[in-house]
Amino acid sequence: MWRLVLLACSAAAAADRTCEALPPLTTTRTKPSVDGGSNLFIGGARKPWDGRVAEVTSPVFDEATGAKAVLGRLAQMDATAASWAADAASEAWDRGQGPWPQASLKERAAAIRAFLDELEKTKRDEIIEVLMWEIAKTKQDATKEFDRTVAFARTVVDQALQTDDTEQFGRWTGVAGVRARVRRGPVGVTLMLAPYNYPLNEMYAMMMPALLMGNPVILKLPAIGALAHVLTVDALQKCLPKGVVNFVSGSGRETLPSVMQGGLVDCLGFIGGSKGADALIKQHPHPHRLKVFSQLEGKNLGIVFADADLDEAVKQILLGALSYNGQRCTAIKLVIAEKSIAPVLVEKLSEAIEGLERGLPWDEGVEITPLPEPNKPQYLAELVEDATSRGALIKNARGGSTNGQLYHPALVYPVTPSMRLFHEEQFGPVVPVAEFEQVSEVIDVVKASWNGQQAAVFTSDAAKAAPLVDALSTIVGRVNVNMQCARGPDVFPFSGRRSSAMGTMSTTESLRAFSVETLVAVRDDDAGRAFGDALSTRAKFLLPTA
């Protein structure tokens, strides 16, 4: 059973910590201006829109106005407009007979490669700039997101072409009098949603495999982070057939019920919260035939044993917990340290956190930037207040202070199961630290958790780590030893259990997520083999990809 262990702290030490509200960060930097409000991208064309629009603002304040910088506009579609996108995707699908699903894998690969080339050539710098402004991603991280997204997509194309002829039954194979060829084919109209933190990367990690397999898609643009997608319209229009990619923008609660209830969606790709995924699935009139791929929440643990290299553990925890302000599903969101070394670990973490550079996304060397979600600083403050009211302390000097949307990382210790921070996914720059004395206590925590994504174990003793690795291997999708939690490299499977995922993401597994095996069979005799060979030179489905 978890043992409640509180660190004795003097009243003076507790009173010494206050959270200050400071002026927001402002800039005179020239801001982008992206118009996503005057038209919709549906059916391969820009459709004029004279309905509601919303200003898109930045978490960075404009020094000239003293308000959040306005970056552009985004159409706020209603249920009727959203149904237009579903109709266009359905027309492109045409029950599997549309030009895109009927194209060969080689033809689709060529079109996607042309799109990626066009995006890199014409929009790379503009998209990186928009990512810095709209979601306050550092220039280094924004650049990495774009480049990693394109690299992932190219690898998916290469993998599909290379493995198509080599996977099981990838070639004509005779078994028990039947000669068969298996290939993967499209599922149908695919609705996709991805969150603000990686608006391009996470959407394309689903969209590229789905398109390659022949599925037309409907992209529900995130409420925050949509402008990067608006900038892709020219390249999509130039390189892909009409209706293969369609945008829906605005409130998901207003637009998506009509899309799902219409029954035209065959597959759902969802990266976000489990409640949202559940709600969408329930709205489909035939949920039994809805193929679902989802990557959801994670409350990933960082488990630190007394024999760990604490300096290395601090370095990895810092990366894992606070990269991009902790706004990553793969972030370490709860540290559990062995009691004997917890105070020392906390002291080292406090010093390291205070050394992180705070500022604007384009500032040199900046590591902590403003938060794009308007209410996130308030939510984090509520979690911290709940913890401190129950005996925890903020252990770093600036922890919990704010500069407008910038929330200074807060190291909170000791956190116990009675506190919200122990259980809720903070998705922001708060680092809670709890204590344990027996490994069984840690196992009890992960057994009781709703989460099943990842864990990180820090120790120098393989014998000590082994039982915990075995326990975790049936609870989470990835166990990291002496390193932070992470999604990549993208060739490795990214999976999860419980409320953390349904399906596996990687450059190969994502192809399976958005496709179905289709088999062509002939008799395994001379006539059947001859006919199969002749068919392989004429049917696009069977044409070689090399």
Side-chain angles (χ1 to χ4, degrees):
M1 183 177 180
W2 182 267
R3 300 178 64 179
L4 189 63
V5 185
L6 293 177
L7 179 68
C9 294
S10 68
D16 190 49
R17 274 296 303 117
T18 58
C19 298
E20 297 179 281
L22 303 170
L25 302 184
T26 61
T27 185
T28 58
R29 183 184 178 97
T30 302
K31 60 190 178 185
S33 180
V34 181
D35 182 16
S38 60
N39 53 67
L40 312 176
F41 182 58
I42 292 176
R46 287 181 168 88
K47 181 181 179 68
W49 173 251
D50 58 4
R52 289 183 296 120
V53 299
E55 284 187 337
V56 178
T57 60
S58 171
V60 176
F61 284 63
D62 189 330
E63 190 170 296
T65 64
K68 291 181 179 180
V70 177
L71 309 178
R73 304 185 309 156
L74 191 66
Q76 301 299 291
M77 296 167 66
D78 54 20
T80 299
S83 68
W84 298 338
D87 291 341
S90 179
E91 184 177 349
W93 171 239
D94 191 20
R95 295 186 178 270
Q97 302 309 298
W100 188 250
Q102 283 294 307
S104 69
L105 176 61
K106 193 173 182 179
E107 290 170 331
R108 294 195 295 262
I112 290 172
R113 282 172 168 163
F115 165 71
L116 296 171
D117 290 343
E118 184 71 15
L119 208 59
E120 277 194 306
K121 181 176 67 175
T122 64
K123 294 296 180 181
R124 179 179 182 271
D125 292 344
E126 198 173 349
I127 288 174
I128 290 170
E129 185 74 9
V130 162
L131 289 174
M132 287 194 290
W133 276 94
E134 190 175 2
I135 63 172
K137 187 162 281 192
T138 67
K139 184 173 184 178
Q140 178 181 355
D141 285 347
T143 301
K144 182 179 178 181
E145 174 165 359
F146 182 92
D147 291 343
R148 181 187 181 187
T149 299
V150 172
F152 178 93
R154 293 193 188 282
T155 303
V156 166
V157 172
D158 292 343
Q159 290 277 0
L161 296 176
Q162 291 168 10
T163 62
D164 183 69
D165 289 328
T166 57
E167 64 179 319
Q168 185 181 17
F169 294 140
R171 299 181 185 278
W172 287 105
T173 303
V175 178
V178 176
R179 190 166 184 253
R181 173 70 185 268
V182 176
R183 273 185 163 169
R184 306 196 70 82
V187 179
V189 174
T190 302
L191 172 63
M192 295 185 167
L193 298 89
Y196 73 85
N197 58 332
Y198 290 89
L200 198 69
N201 183 264
E202 294 201 326
M203 189 74 88
Y204 278 43
M206 298 184 293
M207 186 176 89
M208 290 294 113
L211 288 176
L212 188 60
M213 291 292 95
N215 305 285
V217 301
I218 307 164
L219 301 190
K220 169 57 180 74
L221 305 188
I224 301 170
L227 296 186
H229 289 287
V230 174
L231 294 173
T232 68
V233 169
D234 287 343
L236 289 169
Q237 201 170 15
K238 180 177 180 179
C239 301
L240 298 179
K242 66 178 185 178
V244 171
V245 178
N246 308 273
F247 288 176
V248 171
S249 59
S251 166
R253 292 182 179 180
E254 186 172 351
T255 56
L256 296 183
S258 66
V259 174
M260 291 298 281
Q261 291 166 8
L264 298 178
V265 173
D266 302 294
C267 182
L268 174 65
F270 188 99
I271 301 179
S274 56
K275 290 182 179 179
D278 288 344
L280 282 176
I281 293 168
K282 290 175 182 177
Q283 288 168 352
H284 199 285
H286 309 293
H288 65 275
R289 69 168 176 81
L290 181 68
K291 187 174 176 66
V292 177
F293 171 86
S294 63
Q295 296 290 331
L296 307 169
E297 301 103 326
K299 183 72 174 179
N300 300 326
L301 299 184
I303 304 156
V304 186
F305 284 94
D307 57 32
D309 180 334
L310 293 188
D311 290 332
E312 184 61 28
V314 166
K315 178 182 176 182
Q316 293 297 319
I317 290 170
L318 212 64
L319 286 171
L322 294 177
S323 292
Y324 187 42
N325 303 321
Q327 298 168 125
R328 299 157 48 242
C329 66
T330 55
I332 293 176
K333 299 191 176 79
L334 176 64
V335 178
I336 303 184
E338 200 161 355
K339 180 182 178 182
S340 62
I341 51 88
V344 177
L345 177 70
V346 168
E347 183 178 349
K348 288 177 177 289
L349 278 171
S350 176
E351 181 180 354
I353 289 172
E354 283 306 292
L356 296 174
E357 187 72 27
R358 283 94 156 148
L360 297 171
W362 39 83
D363 289 345
E364 189 70 27
V366 72
E367 295 165 288
I368 301 296
T369 59
L371 305 176
E373 291 181 285
N375 298 324
K376 180 52 71 74
Q378 179 183 345
Y379 171 68
L380 297 177
E382 289 173 359
L383 291 180
V384 172
E385 183 180 358
D386 172 75
T388 55
S389 71
R390 299 174 187 274
L393 295 173
I394 300 174
K395 300 299 292 183
N396 59 311
R398 291 178 288 175
S401 296
T402 57
N403 286 87
Q405 288 296 115
L406 189 144
Y407 185 94
H408 293 271
L411 176 65
V412 184
Y413 169 77
V415 173
T416 70
S418 67
M419 302 170 188
R420 292 171 61 189
L421 258 179
F422 193 93
H423 307 282
E424 294 184 29
E425 183 189 26
Q426 65 271 37
F427 213 76
V430 175
V431 184
V433 181
E435 296 178 341
F436 74 94
E437 292 186 274
Q438 304 295 329
V439 175
S440 60
E441 300 169 39
V442 179
I443 294 174
D444 286 343
V445 169
V446 293
K447 283 174 63 178
S449 176
W450 53 266
N451 157 68
Q453 195 198 84
Q454 295 191 37
V457 180
F458 298 94
T459 180
S460 60
D461 187 343
K464 184 182 292 185
L468 185 55
V469 168
D470 286 340
L472 290 168
S473 67
T474 53
I475 296 174
V476 301
R478 172 167 166 165
V479 183
N480 304 276
V481 182
N482 294 321
M483 62 180 291
Q484 64 163 316
C485 298
R487 193 183 96 186
D490 289 325
V491 294
F492 291 149
F494 178 55
S495 64
R497 292 182 168 91
R498 300 177 177 175
S499 293
S500 285
M502 179 183 293
T504 300
M505 182 183 288
S506 74
T507 52
T508 52
E509 289 301 314
S510 57
L511 294 166
R512 299 179 183 275
F514 298 102
S515 63
V516 62
E517 297 91 343
T518 301
L519 181 146
V520 177
V522 296
R523 294 193 309 273
D524 192 16
D525 54 23
D526 290 343
R529 286 191 290 273
F531 194 88
D533 291 343
L535 192 62
S536 295
T537 66
R538 292 169 173 81
K540 285 188 175 182
F541 182 74
L542 298 174
L543 288 176
T545 55

